Amino acid sequence: MDPWLSDEQRSFLATAQRFARAKIAPHYQKREQEQSIDRALIREMGALGLIAPELPEVYGGLGLPSITSGLIAEAVGYADVNVAYVQLLGSLTGKIISEHAAPELARHWLPRLVSGRSVIAIALTEPRGGSDAAHLALAARREGSRYLLKGEKSSISMADQADAVVLFARTGRPEDGARGVSAFLVPMDTPGVTTARYTDLGSKAIGRSSIFFDDAAIPATHCLGAEGAGFVQVMQGFDFSRALIGLQVLGSAQASLDESWAYIQERQAFGVPLAQHQGVTFPLAEAETLVAAARQLCYHTLRLRDAGQPHTSEAAMCKWLAPKTAVDAIHQCLLTHGHYGWSMDLPHQQRLRDVMGLEIGDGTAQIMKLIIARDRIKSHAR
């Protein structure tokens, strides 16, 4: 364990690691076949405090630093990168709800979220564009004490397993851009809400779906924050989730690396263990180095967040570097296992497919580099 961790964080990390390796890891590949995450498992995570522990105690959270969620994301990601997404969703949507929902709405949903009794997804992307998140078409029309929702969200992770979504919809004119976007909390059992799941390459336990809203009516009190302020809310939340994504995929990469180091010490070729061949060990040593470097970047970003310092650029760095590093490391591990690695029986192929999806979701590498470049240009123009 790292020396900078507090005793409380060490305890949380140990709990997350024990639970992940005993309860989550053994069924990693089975969850892909079932294409879902067992609700009993999510409730167990909640009971151990492994979902959004940074949320306020008044809402059932523990009020801990956000770096604690990073420790959990990495530990759970080591066992199953998909189950780690439950923690990420809890932190991302939980923050938006705790800071912007009416108190009675937050009191209803947040204790359910942190306890694992409810899953709340985030619905931002639309068919006409994923990266151009400020120009949404899904409309929220105010009629008296309610809003009517009309349109489609696409590529929404865990949509058909969620109990509710934090939805971003247009309440202003199209030409208003980001200033016309509002956020809402929408229960998924609302009449007029339906889903259709995609057939994806990986992350099948999470699943992606389109969500259709056919004049679905929600109370006006389900608007999160001021009308027209939704885009700012979600962008601030992504600074947190991008560092967590980095850690969950690096946990998955570390699992493949650990398995590969063990394998090359057992497997023999030309009369000696593979571990005696530099051509085998050097690629793994390089992957270990890059994973360790990306990991420190992610924790540095969370430390900045906990200190109340700007960290948008650092979060963007985490989001493009960590998934790329993890994909490259897992790919190398698959190759290190030779013809065994090409088997669907070993987990490397699934890790590769699952992690690759997070090179896209929550912002592509190109968008992340654009964020970094704009921030640096702005800072040098002062």
Side-chain angles (χ1 to χ4, degrees), residues 97-344:
I97 295 168
S98 68
E99 294 185 357
H100 301 289
E104 60 273 17
L105 195 64
R107 283 194 296 266
H108 174 79
W109 283 102
L110 290 181
R112 300 181 63 84
L113 177 73
V114 298
S115 66
R117 290 178 292 149
S118 291
V119 172
I120 303 177
I122 188 160
L124 177 64
T125 311
E126 294 188 0
R128 66 189 294 263
S131 298
D132 190 9
H135 293 87
L136 303 180
L138 189 147
R141 185 176 78 256
R142 180 74 181 257
E143 285 194 356
S145 62
R146 65 179 187 168
Y147 283 91
L148 294 180
L149 308 173
K150 185 76 171 179
E152 177 186 352
K153 290 295 181 182
S154 60
S155 190
I156 307 305
S157 296
M158 228 172 173
D160 61 1
Q161 299 184 66
D163 301 284
V165 294
V166 171
L167 173 75
F168 296 86
R170 178 153 303 284
T171 48
R173 301 169 303 171
E175 56 267 30
D176 292 334
R179 293 185 298 276
V181 174
S182 302
F184 301 89
L185 182 60
V186 183
M188 288 298 288
D189 61 359
T190 300
V193 177
T194 56
T195 63
R197 181 179 272 226
Y198 302 167
T199 302
D200 283 339
L201 178 65
S203 296
K204 297 175 188 281
I206 295 173
R208 288 184 311 143
S209 302
S210 285
I211 311 178
F212 304 96
F213 300 86
D214 186 11
D215 282 334
I218 57 169
T221 53
H222 282 224
C223 185
L224 302 176
E227 188 174 292
F231 188 74
V232 174
Q233 294 169 17
V234 71
M235 288 301 107
Q236 292 174 343
F238 280 159
D239 286 348
F240 188 13
S241 66
R242 285 167 180 160
L244 296 181
I245 285 175
L247 289 165
Q248 74 180 89
V249 300
L250 292 171
S252 187
Q254 191 64 59
S256 277
L257 283 166
D258 289 350
E259 291 164 8
S260 297
W261 286 116
Y263 172 75
I264 65 172
Q265 294 176 70
E266 298 167 358
R267 174 76 168 171
Q268 293 203 349
F270 306 104
V272 296
L274 287 176
Q276 292 191 24
H277 298 289
Q278 291 179 347
V280 175
T281 59
F282 280 15
L284 295 181
E286 180 179 334
E288 281 280 357
T289 305
L290 295 174
V291 166
R295 178 186 294 117
Q296 291 305 314
L297 173 62
C298 293
Y299 282 119
H300 170 65
T301 301
L302 292 178
R303 291 190 197 100
L304 288 175
R305 174 182 170 77
D306 286 334
Q309 298 296 313
H311 55 285
T312 295
S313 284
E314 289 80 3
M317 294 173 191
C318 294
K319 178 56 186 62
W320 83 260
L321 179 61
K324 180 184 186 303
T325 300
V327 165
D328 291 346
I330 296 167
H331 183 208
Q332 182 56 56
C333 291
L334 187 153
L335 297 177
T336 298
H337 279 74
H339 64 91
Y340 294 114
W342 194 239
S343 168
M344 295 291 285

